Amino acid sequence: MKRFTLFSILLLTSVAAVAQQEQDSTQVTYKKRVLESTEVDFLMSYYQQDGVHSAVAGGKGMEKLSDVTPTIVVAMPLNDDDVLTVDAGLSAYSSASSGNINPFDSSTPSPWQASSGASASDMLTSLVVNYSHSSDDRNDIWNAHLSGSTEYDYSSLGFGGGYTKLFNDKNSEINVSGNVYLDSWRPIYPKELQDFYNNGYDLNGGIFNYFTITGNTDYNPSRFSPHPKKNRNSYSMSFSFSQVATERMQFSLFADLLYQQGLLSTPYQRVYFADVADSFINEFHLADDIERLPDNRFKLPLGARLNYYVNQWLVVRTYYRFYTDDWGLSSHTANIELPIKLNDRFTVFPMYRYYTQQGSKYFAPYNTHLSTEQYYTSDYDLSTFDAHQYGFGVNYTDIFAAARVWGYGIKNIDLRFNHYSRSDGLDANIVSFGIKFVQQ
């Protein structure tokens, strides 16, 4: 697959170069390049959260997680019309919640105590290669991309493309795109279920040789069996329309159609049944089963943006999205950002985002599902809740890129902070930093 990807990129580049040479031999009018020179973006974010509804512990327990995400994006002009963009990133996280996939490395396992097991941390590696071509009049843009990512228990391969049409003196724009992601799980199951299954549905062996079960001592999670499917495929089509309505106002409308099939539940998230007697090791409630969700899902997000230029110092940027799917989940998102220009180079922007969600029909809180149900989850990401996000940012822009580092001019620096608060008790802080360099 790597050889095919490289060959495809080289072939597209060669075809574009030949076409450009033929055009240049018969046409001498000046044409502005789509991208004047190579641009390099260094991006970094730090995310930290905590809560009281760990999905790994069936809806009860700490949700401590921290994540550091360094990313580099390189955009290279291949000629006047074509641009190749390479986006490479890492996401290194540490999670007390996922560490409790196996909380039994401690003599006193508890959903409120961090585990030091292997699942307590992981790293996601991702790579996206995008090729875009613009017509001579810059009114038609085609693009295609290939992507891949991998982490300990999950890998993904994606590809897609799109077409953008500008008209009405570039005051109107239509975009259509499609994407396919072919993902694969390497399932990890809660330790007690894994040992019970590997022992032939017996309590002799594994952790049961080292711990005493309390409560219902006849622990028997007979509903559990490993998932027969390990693939998750996602298909999407996106449509958008943008319009410059007046000298001061611009708006856009968008719609996405998304369909997923395969293993859509998370294998290591526990579920507890109200009609099954509870079994414990110390404070940790032993799972009755894992999350079970349908193997297909249809999603429909619809949204709009409206930007209004108040004066040379202030722009109002607004966003709204409605989402619904066939799991019974629906949501509304509203966002406002107010960039305030302090001078030619510095802009500050306060921002606010409100989100409200009606939970999935498959969700129920900790220890309230029934063993007679077909589908069940206690993941509060699928519950009913409201959320508020408050943020502030500072942006520095120098179109001349006068300051230089290693021969590259600094064009833009962006720093943002956001605080996120959810009505179910989850709180998070996000700090992001970005710097853009331009080859000179």
Side-chain angles (χ1 to χ4, degrees), residues 114-145:
S115 169
S116 60
S119 57
S121 61
D122 197 2
M123 179 177 291
L124 169 70
T125 304
S126 63
L127 178 68
V128 181
V129 179
N130 183 82
Y131 167 82
S132 67
H133 171 78
S134 299
S135 61
D136 289 340
D137 60 8
R138 303 302 185 242
N139 287 331
D140 300 273
I141 305 169
W142 297 265
N143 73 83
H145 73 83

Side-chain angles (χ1 to χ4, degrees), residues 14 23 68 85 129 201 230 300 302 322 364 366 390 403 422:
S14 301
Q23 185 182 62
V68 178
T85 304
V129 179
Y201 293 92
K230 296 181 176 61
L300 178 63
L302 304 169
F322 169 74
Y366 168 77
Y390 310 88
R422 214 158 81 174

Side-chain angles (χ1 to χ4, degrees), residues 8 20 32 71 74-75 78 111 126-127 135 147 164 211 228 237 240 247 259 265 282 317 321 326 360 383 407 439:
S8 301
Q20 184 63 46
K32 182 177 175 62
T71 303
V74 181
L78 302 177
S126 63
L127 178 68
S135 61
S147 66
T164 301
F211 292 95
M237 288 292 297
S240 67
E247 291 183 352
Y259 177 72
S265 55
N282 195 51
R317 297 175 181 168
R321 188 189 79 155
D326 58 357
S360 168
S383 70
Q439 188 178 39

Side-chain angles (χ1 to χ4, degrees), residues 107-249:
S107 60
T108 56
S110 167
W112 307 104
Q113 177 178 300
S115 169
S116 60
S119 57
S121 61
D122 197 2
M123 179 177 291
L124 169 70
T125 304
S126 63
L127 178 68
V128 181
V129 179
N130 183 82
Y131 167 82
S132 67
H133 171 78
S134 299
S135 61
D136 289 340
D137 60 8
R138 303 302 185 242
N139 287 331
D140 300 273
I141 305 169
W142 297 265
N143 73 83
H145 73 83
L146 291 169
S147 66
S149 64
T150 183
E151 53 187 313
Y152 179 74
D153 63 335
Y154 200 84
S155 60
S156 176
L157 174 66
F159 57 90
Y163 170 69
T164 301
K165 176 68 177 179
L166 290 85
F167 55 98
N168 189 23
D169 293 329
K170 293 183 169 59
N171 288 316
S172 305
E173 178 182 314
I174 294 176
N175 177 269
V176 180
S177 63
N179 295 283
V180 176
Y181 294 95
L182 307 176
D183 305 344
S184 179
W185 284 94
R186 291 180 288 274
I188 304 172
Y189 299 104
K191 179 63 174 174
E192 67 272 32
L193 296 177
Q194 177 181 302
D195 284 2
F196 184 78
Y197 179 80
N198 289 340
N199 293 338
Y201 293 92
D202 194 281
L203 296 179
N204 294 316
I207 62 169
F208 306 110
N209 288 344
Y210 301 97
F211 292 95
T212 299
I213 297 176
T214 60
N216 174 26
T217 58
D218 187 22
Y219 177 58
N220 183 27
S222 58
R223 287 292 302 272
F224 173 72
S225 62
H227 284 289
K229 296 182 178 180
K230 296 181 176 61
N231 294 330
R232 172 185 292 180
N233 300 331
S234 303
Y235 312 91
S236 67
M237 288 292 297
S238 299
F239 308 89
S240 67
F241 170 73
S242 299
Q243 176 66 46
V244 177
T246 68
E247 291 183 352
R248 292 177 177 267
M249 184 172 68

